[in-house]
Amino acid sequence: SGAKVSAYGHDNPVRWIDTDRALRLVDEMKSLGVLAVQATGGGEPTVHPCHEQIFAKILDCGIRLSLVSNGYRWRDALFPLIARMDWLRVSVDAGNAKTYASIRRVPEHAFEKTVSNIRRAANIISKSTYPTVLGVGFTVTPDNWDEIVDGVGVAKEAGAHNIRISAMFGPENEKPF
């Protein structure tokens, strides 16, 4: 198809909406009375090179914003925006670095970086007057089912307000379980 392939450890094509078009879409959403946006997708929203600019525009237009993220590649400019979001959920899906690295196809040190970003977000949220809710996602798979308790402990230690535990969805439905 001609799409570039990602250098982020997967074979998803690198594609995102043009920044100028995204900013115009925010204006259109505002004019249409859109009240809230959830940034998520079949990929990582914070991979977009200008995601902080887009998120800031959404918030500055008075539109409520929530984010589902892997929490790994967050840059400093994202943290002040987190304190203005309605909620944030970081997908961790593991109770330790080894499983995290295996599931996500990343180096083991990525687990601590992600948990550190959750801690930083929790610290910023705790000092904010806006009631942002910080959650951790844990999708149960045949590779991590025995780490649910550890995953809950990681979320609690990092300062998350909640953890969302869900079963994986796949072509075999419930067969893996």
Side-chain angles (χ1 to χ4, degrees):
S1 72
K4 294 189 306 185
V5 175
S6 174
Y8 297 114
H10 57 73
D11 58 4
N12 293 339
V14 176
R15 59 181 181 256
W16 49 69
I17 192 166
D18 176 74
T19 302
D20 289 336
R21 179 63 184 126
L23 297 172
R24 287 193 315 273
L25 279 172
V26 174
D27 288 331
E28 291 171 28
M29 287 186 283
K30 178 65 177 172
S31 71
L32 291 170
V34 170
L35 301 176
V37 170
Q38 177 181 318
T40 187
E44 171 57 35
T46 64
V47 169
H48 190 289
C50 297
H51 66 273
E52 297 100 341
Q53 181 184 3
I54 296 165
F55 294 170
K57 171 91 176 196
I58 292 167
L59 292 163
D60 291 346
C61 281
I63 299 173
R64 297 165 66 179
L65 177 64
S66 298
L67 173 65
V68 178
S69 173
N70 66 24
Y72 178 64
R73 296 186 185 275
W74 292 354
R75 300 181 296 224
D76 288 341
L78 180 64
F79 288 93
L81 300 173
I82 286 172
R84 298 172 56 200
M85 294 179 185
D86 274 24
W87 58 265
L88 166 70
R89 185 172 62 241
V90 182
S91 304
V92 177
D93 308 326
N96 64 59
K98 183 175 181 180
T99 302
Y100 182 86
S102 173
I103 288 172
R104 300 222 170 254
R105 294 178 292 187
V106 296
E108 285 190 23
H109 68 82
F111 180 75
E112 182 50 42
K113 169 89 165 127
T114 299
V115 174
S116 175
N117 281 340
I118 296 168
R119 277 189 213 104
R120 184 174 174 193
N123 184 47
I124 288 169
I125 290 167
S126 73
K127 295 175 182 172
S128 172
T129 58
Y130 195 84
T132 304
V133 176
L134 174 60
V136 166
F138 190 108
T139 300
V140 181
T141 72
D143 299 318
N144 69 4
W145 65 268
D146 58 343
E147 295 177 20
I148 294 171
V149 172
D150 293 336
V152 170
V154 167
K156 181 178 181 180
E157 179 277 326
H161 298 119
N162 64 58
I163 185 165
R164 176 182 180 257
I165 300 172
S166 59
M168 69 175 236
F169 293 97
E172 299 180 67
N173 294 320
E174 73 283 347
K175 186 177 179 184
F177 302 101

